[in-house]
Amino acid sequence: MKKIISAIMISLVSISAWAASGADSTAVFTVEPKMSCANCEKKIKSNLRFEKGIKSIATSVPQQTVTIVYNPKKTNVEAIKKGFAKIGYKAAIATPAEKK
């Protein structure tokens, strides 16, 4: 019985470590020119979704931020900034005051 419990515990620890290693990252960006309408949001969302490794995109016109969840094994912040540049936006990481 102790061997079974030990084997289960080892399996759970291994699975947890494996799952944590593949965790997604989140980055919050501000963009220039500023987003002013739903079409701006749509343009960003519809074009950036094709960039490699991006899992989800959330935009906020009132806060002027774009929050992106991505797989760090497939992309990084610099590659995402290049994706913004392809559609005519200059992106920068938002400061803590801008994230609120």
Side-chain angles (χ1 to χ4, degrees):
M1 186 69 169
K2 288 182 182 180
K3 288 182 181 181
I4 294 173
I5 293 173
S6 296
I8 291 171
M9 293 302 286
I10 290 171
S11 297
L12 289 174
V13 169
S14 298
I15 291 170
S16 297
W18 175 75
S21 67
D24 293 333
S25 294
T26 302
V28 180
F29 296 91
T30 58
V31 293
E32 286 293 329
K34 301 239 183 252
M35 296 181 290
S36 59
C37 62
N39 286 333
C40 299
E41 290 180 301
K42 183 179 177 183
K43 180 179 180 180
I44 290 170
K45 288 179 178 179
S46 64
N47 287 286
L48 286 182
R49 68 186 174 113
F50 294 110
E51 293 295 320
K52 183 177 176 182
I54 292 182
K55 302 278 185 156
S56 68
I57 303 166
T59 55
S60 172
V61 171
Q63 294 178 340
Q64 290 295 309
T65 58
V66 180
T67 304
I68 297 179
V69 178
Y70 64 96
N71 181 340
K73 292 182 180 180
K74 294 184 179 183
T75 193
N76 57 43
V77 170
E78 292 306 314
I80 295 170
K81 286 181 181 180
K82 288 179 184 175
F84 276 105
K86 289 179 190 175
I87 58 172
Y89 286 93
K90 181 179 178 189
I93 293 291
T95 63
E98 293 170 322
K99 291 179 184 179
K100 293 179 183 180

